[in-house]
């Protein structure tokens, strides 16, 4: 059951989101899972990767969900781990999809194979559920993945001091910040407010870059961008007023990831 102020806020549009009613009905839900591993003879990374590629992602697709990505950690704490992202059009469809996956025979065989190896297949799994903001109602998947090298991806979480502060930050993203990312070529993939998961209230989003050097250059351009300076000039929208903590990790896609 989804409870609490964060869930209520996610299910009732913020003022910024209500300003875009044509997109409100298309906002999707994104489940982020982190599969924590350890380096050992149990071959956890390869076992989980095989299960995702041949078992879970195909079963989710058959059941009507949209697997977006599977990543391994590149830079950040608490590795090794794998991050998966799956998109659902609604909470009802998510419930239906998971019920279908539970009855999927091919998935059950893959799950049994994952569990049948020596030792533990993984250490633990943590999950969070995001409700997308109106500016990016669905995850953006590139169409040129097969014609270029894989990119790197930055997953960023902004934790706010209160629900009011979170709504102000959501308004900034909906009202110009994501558009600046897009104009500068930082390629935002998704953005959503957490309705289930730790460190609420928070907004999590993802950007993509060709490489680490490109990431550094793009963030420098963003910091000096006139549109960003104008958007963030309001004293009520300073990070110290609406963002209590920022955390980020750098990820790289696994070979079978739809997002690359």
């Amino acid at each position: 059951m989804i409870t609490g102020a964060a869930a209520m806020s996610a299910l009732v549009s913020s003022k910024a989101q209500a300003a875009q009613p044509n997109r409100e009905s298309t906002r999707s839900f994104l489940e982020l899972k982190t599969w924590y591993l350890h380096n050992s003879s149990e071959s956890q990374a390869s076992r989980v990767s095989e299960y995702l590629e041949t078992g879970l992602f195909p079963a989710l697709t058959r059941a009507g969900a949209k697997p977006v990505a599977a990543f391994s950690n590149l830079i950040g704490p608490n590795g090794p781990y794998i991050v998966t992202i799956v998109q659902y059009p609604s909470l009802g469809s998510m419930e239906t999809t998971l019920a279908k996956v539970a009855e999927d025979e091919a998935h059950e065989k893959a799950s049994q194979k994952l569990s049948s190896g020596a030792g533990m297949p993984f250490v633990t799994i943590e999950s969070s559920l995001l409700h997308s903001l109106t500016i990016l109602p669905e995850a953006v998947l590139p169409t040129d993945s097969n014609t270029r090298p894989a990119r790197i991806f930055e997953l960023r979480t902004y934790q706010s001091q209160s629900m009011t502060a979170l709504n102000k930050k959501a308004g900034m993203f909906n009202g110009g910040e994501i558009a600046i990312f897009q104009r500068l070529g930082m390629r935002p993939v998704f953005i959503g407010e957490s309705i289930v998961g730790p460190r609420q209230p928070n907004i999590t989003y993802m950007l993509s870059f060709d490489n680490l050097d490109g990431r550094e250059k793009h963030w420098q351009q963003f910091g000096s961008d006139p549109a960003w300076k104008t958007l963030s000039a309001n004293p009520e929208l300073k990070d110290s007023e609406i963002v209590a903590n920022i955390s980020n990790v750098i990820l790289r896609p696994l070979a079978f990831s739809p997002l690359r």
Side-chain angles (χ1 to χ4, degrees), residues 8-24 27 133-135 163-175 193 203 236-237:
M8 291 302 295
S9 175
L11 298 177
V12 178
S13 301
S14 69
K15 292 181 180 179
Q17 292 164 342
Q20 304 181 66
N22 58 317
R23 293 188 179 186
E24 185 64 29
R27 292 171 62 202
L133 300 189
T134 53
I135 191 65
M163 297 309 302
T164 299
L166 183 83
N167 286 337
K168 289 181 180 179
K169 188 59 192 177
M172 290 184 71
F173 280 122
N174 283 326
E193 176 186 347
I203 290 173
E236 293 185 1
L237 301 181

Side-chain angles (χ1 to χ4, degrees), residues 38-184:
H38 56 213
N39 295 311
S40 70
S41 59
E42 295 163 308
S43 303
Q44 291 184 342
S46 61
R47 289 166 66 184
V48 171
S49 295
E50 180 183 5
Y51 162 70
L52 295 172
E53 180 180 10
T54 65
L56 183 58
F57 274 21
L60 287 167
T61 302
R62 287 191 294 271
K66 182 179 181 180
V68 172
F71 301 103
S72 61
N73 62 299
L74 180 60
I75 300 174
N78 304 320
Y81 55 81
I82 289 172
V83 174
T84 56
I85 305 171
V86 179
Q87 180 175 289
Y88 303 90
S90 68
L91 293 177
S93 68
M94 181 179 181
E95 182 180 14
T96 300
T97 294
L98 296 180
K100 290 180 179 179
V101 170
E103 300 296 327
D104 190 300
E105 293 184 1
H107 172 260
E108 177 60 24
K109 290 181 180 178
S111 181
Q112 290 179 0
K113 182 178 180 180
L114 172 68
S115 302
S116 64
M120 298 168 58
F122 49 81
V123 177
T124 191
I125 301 172
E126 292 183 359
S127 179
S128 62
L129 187 64
L130 307 179
H131 196 195
S132 66
L133 300 189
T134 53
I135 191 65
L136 282 181
E138 296 186 3
V140 178
L141 271 67
T143 58
D144 61 347
S145 298
N146 295 327
T147 62
R148 56 162 174 77
R151 294 170 175 151
I152 62 168
F153 295 82
E154 183 171 6
L155 185 66
R156 297 175 65 87
T157 297
Y158 290 9
Q159 184 178 2
S160 291
Q161 296 90 332
S162 66
M163 297 309 302
T164 299
L166 183 83
N167 286 337
K168 289 181 180 179
K169 188 59 192 177
M172 290 184 71
F173 280 122
N174 283 326
E177 191 166 349
I178 290 295
I180 296 171
F181 289 153
Q182 292 169 329
R183 175 170 53 80
L184 294 178

Side-chain angles (χ1 to χ4, degrees), residues 192-256:
E193 176 186 347
S194 173
I195 60 173
V196 177
R199 297 185 296 155
Q200 294 190 27
N202 72 66
I203 290 173
T204 296
Y205 68 98
M206 176 172 280
L207 305 172
S208 71
F209 306 95
D210 291 338
N211 49 52
L212 291 174
D213 287 341
R215 173 188 174 274
E216 292 297 325
K217 291 177 182 178
H218 276 100
W219 275 116
Q220 290 174 4
Q221 292 171 350
F222 175 81
S224 60
D225 186 83
W228 168 245
K229 289 185 176 181
T230 298
L231 181 63
S232 58
N234 187 332
E236 293 185 1
L237 301 181
K238 297 295 184 182
D239 278 357
S240 58
E241 298 295 324
I242 61 175
V243 179
N245 180 268
I246 297 175
S247 60
N248 70 313
V249 295
I250 307 298
L251 307 170
R252 55 187 169 194
L254 298 179
F256 61 89

